DNA sequence: GTACGTGCAAATGATTTGCGTTAAG
DNA sequence: CTTAACGCAAATCATTTGCACGTAC
């Protein structure tokens, strides 16, 4: 599902590839370090601009944790568990919850829905044992 | 429901009062400007520290919009609609969704739930007309 | 009396912007 | 060709921190 109105520059292609391969929810810094392996001269501003751009175009998703942006290429409806101690994010899926969320979203008055984010905040197992 | 382990300093009391009266979801800056009307010498760092502290203690709630913290004293279960154009936040309530969210939350393995946030992102009526 | 809170200013960290140059379509 | 994107460095903005002093309990 390529979008006709998007310029596929080397930088964008590499960023999308990196996100596709990455297991998890990388920060801008992570993406920058990763993409730099191939495009050694890419600037961090370009990574910032493109992640923002791609998220606006709907090709990737942004997740904000404690004021820091993270990204993922998984566009399927799903939720996140976020550890408030270590910041770890994991995908969590409940079809029933996804369905109800979208149903509710589509019926909100005076509001054109773009996405519905469900984040479970708590403490992960590892942090709990400490 | 006062907590025995919290020192109710003037600053904290004024911050809580301000949040209780405020209609909406003020930023740290909003709270600072508001509280400063009464406590003219309060520092912004104190506002930051206390908002964080009070949120950790569960006396207020934090909502993060585009990487910026906002706060509210409404502790009842509810959701938010957030306009991605102007940033406006409004409370939205669906008892059915609150119930299902909490039910799902309590059954997540290896995760001690603290809260479940549901945010609807989209474009508000005003921004849509432009 | 003591530990915790405060005010201030400086530091940090994430993100954005201005501008001259480069490349995608 | 022409417009959007890039790289770089500087700027901005939210938030945190170190430290000397003050105050709630």
């Amino acid at each position: 599902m390529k979008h006709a109105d998007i310029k596929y520059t080397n930088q964008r292609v590499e960023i999308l590839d990196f996100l596709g391969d990455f297991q998890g929810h990388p920060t801008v810094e992570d993406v920058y370090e990763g993409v730099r392996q191939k495009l050694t001269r890419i600037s961090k501003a370009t990574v910032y601009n493109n992640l923002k751009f791609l998220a606006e175009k709907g090709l990737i998703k942004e997740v904000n944790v404690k004021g820091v942006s993270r990204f993922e290429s998984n566009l399927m409806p799903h939720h996140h568990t976020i550890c408030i101690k270590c910041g770890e994010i994991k995908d969590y899926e409940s079809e029933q919850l996804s369905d109800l969320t979208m149903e509710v979203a589509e019926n909100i008055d005076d509001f054109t829905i773009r996405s519905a984010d469900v984040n479970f905040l708590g403490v992960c197992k590892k942090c709990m044992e400490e």
Side-chain angles (χ1 to χ4, degrees), chain A residues 1 58-61 72-78:
Chain A
M1 56 134 148
L59 277 84
I60 63 177
K61 282 200 67 177
E72 65 183 350
S73 57
N74 176 5
L75 301 178
M76 299 299 293
H78 67 281

Side-chain angles (χ1 to χ4, degrees), chain A residues 1 32 41 46 66 71:
Chain A
M1 56 134 148
Y32 174 60
R41 289 185 60 72
T46 296
K66 291 181 176 186
F71 299 86

Side-chain angles (χ1 to χ4, degrees), chain A residues 13-28:
Chain A
V13 171
E14 288 299 336
I15 289 171
L16 287 170
D17 279 0
F18 177 82
L19 283 173
D21 293 342
F22 197 94
Q23 296 299 317
H25 304 78
T27 61
V28 175

Side-chain angles (χ1 to χ4, degrees), chain A residues 78-95:
Chain A
H78 67 281
H79 323 297
H80 295 117
T81 59
I82 302 173
C83 177
I84 56 178
K85 296 279 182 191
C86 68
E88 184 202 50
I89 309 180
K90 287 174 83 172
D91 288 352
Y92 185 83
E93 215 164 320
S94 160
E95 198 182 334

Side-chain angles (χ1 to χ4, degrees), chain A residues 100-130:
Chain A
L100 179 59
T101 305
M102 285 317 298
E103 187 192 319
V104 169
E106 282 159 14
N107 286 302
I108 301 175
D109 293 333
D110 298 333
F111 196 75
T112 307
I113 191 76
R114 166 182 287 238
S115 70
D117 295 347
V118 181
N119 293 323
F120 297 103
L121 303 185
V123 183
C124 74
K125 195 184 183 187
K126 206 179 301 170
C127 290
M128 210 54 197
E129 290 167 352
E130 291 169 9

